[in-house]
Amino acid sequence: MPKVLNRRKQFWIGGIALLALGAAGCSQSGQDDAAKVAAASAKPAPTVTVTVTATATATETATPAPAPTVTKTKTVKVPGPTVTKTVTRAASSGSGGSGGSSGGAAKTSTCSIRSNAGNCYSAGQFCRNSDHGALTTTASGARIKCNYSGNAWRWSYA
């Protein structure tokens, strides 16, 4: 009776057989590829010729150096320019049952110094550096002065 091979030996014999079949298949495939390459290399390849011609031209243009710029500085002394703006509002006339009209007075407000936004200053607001020590009026006409108090320059009633 023939001797039965154990599983480990059967596994190795099967693996070697598969390896041999794969090697034979690859060699045949390599021969087919070699035949295709040989057939392709037998055809003449077209020849490409490239001719490049370059011409360079350099032009130099002389430009004069820029002349120095002359500037004038104008020094403005504190308190600066005085701007006066007059605002006039017409009083509204009401129609009453008495038939008479109320005589309204026009209210005029002048501020000699205005904020950057164009508004009149009021007491307690901070002063600009250019306004230190200056006098102006509020929108209601009260006089205020830019004084140093409490570690800051503020407008206060004069």
Side-chain angles (χ1 to χ4, degrees), residues 71-145:
T71 58
K72 282 188 174 182
T73 304
K74 184 177 180 180
T75 304
V76 178
K77 296 183 180 179
V78 175
T82 303
V83 178
T84 304
K85 185 174 180 181
T86 305
V87 178
T88 306
R89 294 187 184 141
S92 62
S93 60
S95 58
S98 64
S101 63
S102 62
K107 183 177 180 182
T108 304
S109 170
T110 59
C111 304
S112 59
I113 300 175
R114 293 188 172 267
S115 67
N116 291 341
N119 301 322
C120 294
Y121 282 108
S122 60
Q125 288 183 318
F126 290 107
C127 304
R128 294 181 292 208
N129 290 339
S130 62
D131 296 335
H132 292 176
L135 286 168
T136 187
T137 56
T138 62
S140 62
R143 292 180 53 96
I144 55 174
K145 184 176 182 178

Side-chain angles (χ1 to χ4, degrees), residues 23-37:
C26 286
S27 67
Q28 181 62 36
S29 172
Q31 289 175 358
D32 291 343
D33 289 341
K36 288 179 185 177
V37 170

